[in-house]
Amino acid sequence: MLEAHGVGFSYPGIRVLQDINLTVEAGERHAIIGPNGAGKTTLFKVLSGEDIAQEGTVTYQGQDVTRKGAWERVKLGFGRTFQVARVFPEMTVLDNMIVALECRQRIRHESGGPWWKVAAGRLLLEEARERLAEVRLGGVADDEAGILSHGDKKRLELGLSLALEPRILLLDEPTAGMSPDDRKEVVQLLKGLQEKRDLTLLLTEHDMDVVFGLATRLTVLSLGQILASGDPEQVRKEPVVREVYLGQRH
């Protein structure tokens, strides 16, 4: 579904990614791990179009998207969440979801009703409430998004991304800052949503319980280069991974 071929990226004076070759198969839950500064977030930015690869190519379902920006990739089926949840804090949770659904209508060139309408139609409103219930936020639909707990903001952002009905969802630290119970709940939520929505998931994550509870494939990044990629249990046993990522030097 998504491939990077020889991808490189630098900030002034800093080589962040070097010769990245990565394949994400349809239906995978693919986790990218590595120590701080490994280049995980930069790789996410390049794959999602927030930054443009300076070297190499990025292809999505066989189509070269290297030069396409994030908004263009969203139209093709990309979804994205961030380390710090991005929601509309002064709007209600329900209105956040309505905005996402109306955005989907615009992408698909679907009619949202007459230009003078000032409120969401009945069907859109029903869908908004259903989608909030799906990410377990139905009970706070009328609250301002800005007063939600950290975990609930992350759930809301996930729901907004899913409202666009992406084919591939990039999750940057989806459980960052959450309690252990919230992390377990998010793992189960993502598994259920992936199956229900026929999604491909690509995520970065520091919590190894989350990684091994969720990922079906694992890629290890260090100093902007891929050290290993494959089945999570096999990758975990690789000596170079144990040395560089886990810090076990022999």
Side-chain angles (χ1 to χ4, degrees):
M1 176 164 282
L2 182 66
E3 292 182 280
H5 304 276
V7 163
F9 189 89
S10 300
Y11 296 111
I14 304 174
R15 181 78 159 165
V16 183
L17 300 175
Q18 182 174 344
D19 194 28
I20 296 293
N21 294 290
L22 177 72
T23 299
V24 181
E25 301 288 349
E28 279 188 334
R29 299 193 298 268
H30 193 136
I32 299 174
I33 66 170
N36 289 331
K40 301 184 298 296
T41 294
T42 300
L43 178 56
F44 253 48
K45 288 181 177 181
V46 169
L47 293 175
S48 66
E50 186 177 349
D51 286 334
I52 301 300
Q54 296 163 345
E55 301 167 7
T57 59
V58 178
T59 60
Y60 170 70
Q61 295 186 315
Q63 177 182 350
D64 188 340
V65 296
T66 310
R67 313 308 302 175
K68 292 185 181 297
W71 65 274
E72 294 173 291
R73 298 187 200 191
V74 167
K75 287 186 174 184
L76 294 174
F78 281 66
R80 168 83 191 273
T81 68
F82 298 83
Q83 289 184 22
V84 178
R86 299 184 182 182
V87 299
F88 301 106
E90 296 181 0
M91 297 171 62
T92 68
V93 173
L94 181 61
D95 284 342
N96 268 262
M97 183 59 70
I98 288 170
V99 167
L101 293 173
E102 289 180 336
C103 181
R104 187 191 70 199
Q105 287 182 328
R106 290 175 65 104
I107 289 172
R108 295 179 175 179
H109 304 290
E110 296 173 347
S111 173
W115 64 266
W116 61 84
K117 80 181 184 74
V118 294
R122 179 180 59 82
L123 292 178
L124 191 70
L125 190 59
E126 288 178 359
E127 183 181 356
R129 292 192 179 279
E130 288 172 0
R131 286 184 175 274
L132 288 178
E134 188 176 51
V135 291
R136 301 167 194 173
L137 292 176
V140 294
D142 296 322
D143 292 353
E144 282 192 7
I147 68 171
L148 294 178
S149 68
H150 174 76
D152 282 349
K153 285 179 182 175
K154 298 282 275 188
R155 285 191 187 88
L156 177 56
E157 184 190 45
L158 174 62
L160 301 184
S161 297
L162 291 170
L164 300 181
E165 297 188 348
R167 297 289 309 282
I168 183 168
L169 184 58
L170 283 70
L171 305 162
D172 196 357
E173 301 283 357
T175 68
M178 289 187 179
S179 69
D181 286 343
D182 279 342
R183 291 192 199 107
K184 292 177 183 177
E185 186 175 329
V186 167
V187 167
Q188 296 307 313
L189 178 62
L190 287 172
K191 283 182 175 179
L193 289 172
Q194 184 210 19
E195 186 173 329
K196 181 178 179 180
R197 300 288 181 189
D198 191 25
L199 283 167
T200 298
L201 300 182
L202 179 64
L203 65 143
T204 67
E205 181 59 60
H206 279 294
D207 189 293
M208 290 299 100
D209 289 335
V210 172
V211 169
F212 288 101
L214 184 61
T216 56
R217 187 172 178 85
L218 189 60
T219 293
V220 182
L221 197 65
S222 178
L223 300 176
Q225 295 180 295
I226 291 177
L227 295 182
S229 189
D231 173 84
E233 289 300 327
Q234 293 176 338
V235 169
R236 181 158 61 175
K237 295 175 183 176
E238 288 280 348
V240 68
V241 174
R242 296 170 65 87
E243 180 178 343
V244 174
Y245 185 70
L246 300 177
Q248 297 182 5
R249 299 185 180 275
H250 302 286

